[in-house]
Amino acid sequence: MASVNIPVLGGNKIEVVSERRDCATFIMTEEDHTIGNSLHYVLMKNPKVDFSGYSIPHPSDNKLNLRIQTKGETSAQDAILTGLNDIKDIGKHILETFNDAVN
């Protein structure tokens, strides 16, 4: 089983555990249900994703496990990056809508 760390600001926060291109488990440190449920939601809206699920192994363990399986057209790593970008775009839209309403 291959394990790869994805570097992010402040250190390696995401570990990828994968044997296949279309299926992977991502272990995120210092994350909780907020990002887990958001990612699961946007991933399941992606027609290229077959399955997405997440779990928090234990409340005192500061980790989130996210499992992604795609239909083979795209890799699991591409799917999570697309999902994270979708969440960013949704956040931008909400902020712009709020600022327009306030101003």
Side-chain angles (χ1 to χ4, degrees), residues 16-33:
V16 183
V17 181
S18 177
E19 291 183 15
R20 301 180 351 205
R21 178 182 183 275
D22 66 333
C23 195
T25 299
F26 300 87
I27 303 170
M28 302 179 191
T29 57
E30 299 176 21
E31 294 298 344
D32 59 14
H33 291 285

Side-chain angles (χ1 to χ4, degrees), residues 15-60:
E15 179 184 355
V16 183
V17 181
S18 177
E19 291 183 15
R20 301 180 351 205
R21 178 182 183 275
D22 66 333
C23 195
T25 299
F26 300 87
I27 303 170
M28 302 179 191
T29 57
E30 299 176 21
E31 294 298 344
D32 59 14
H33 291 285
T34 305
I35 193 70
N37 197 34
S38 300
L39 264 174
H40 170 68
Y41 176 80
V42 297
L43 285 167
M44 291 311 298
K45 293 287 184 183
N46 184 342
K48 296 178 182 177
V49 174
D50 254 345
F51 173 81
S52 166
Y54 81 94
S55 67
I56 308 285
H58 192 276
S60 65

